[in-house]
Amino acid sequence: FTWCPFNLIHMLNYDEAWNTDIYFFVVHVNPADPETLLALFPVLDRSKNISSIAMSISEDAVLWSPLVQLMSSLVASKGRTMDHPVDGIL
């Protein structure tokens, strides 16, 4: 993977299934498949007032798999998630 000019990412099924906020991605080479990238990120669904830590996988860093919730989290004040992944794979 190499650096390139800024691009918006696209997550499959994100527009259809989620009314959410994703604040940032923590991205690393996927330890289970070094040919792909694995992202961990906090996600908040404002319409349901729920939040979680989720993951997604990509082969090119632009097109990402549908998000998968890994764990529930508490909604903090002003619609923020309580938990955030750190720079590392859990």
Side-chain angles (χ1 to χ4, degrees):
F1 299 98
T2 61
W3 289 99
C4 66
F6 177 79
N7 272 321
L8 292 176
I9 66 168
H10 177 73
M11 184 177 293
L12 297 174
N13 299 332
Y14 181 74
D15 295 336
E16 299 86 15
W18 297 88
N19 179 21
T20 61
D21 292 332
I22 295 175
Y23 300 106
F24 61 88
F25 268 17
V26 175
V27 179
H28 286 278
V29 173
N30 184 348
D33 179 1
E35 298 294 316
T36 63
L37 298 170
L38 179 105
L40 298 176
F41 48 94
V43 60
L44 171 71
D45 186 334
R46 292 180 185 276
S47 68
K48 298 177 185 170
N49 200 38
I50 59 172
S51 66
S52 63
I53 302 299
M55 67 173 252
S56 182
I57 296 173
S58 177
E59 293 179 349
D60 63 7
V62 176
L63 181 62
W64 290 85
S65 69
L67 67 84
V68 174
Q69 290 184 326
L70 298 176
M71 63 177 268
S72 299
S73 179
L74 297 173
V75 177
S77 66
K78 299 183 181 181
R80 300 289 185 180
T81 59
M82 184 67 79
D83 298 302
H84 296 273
V86 295
D87 187 15
I89 300 297
L90 303 176

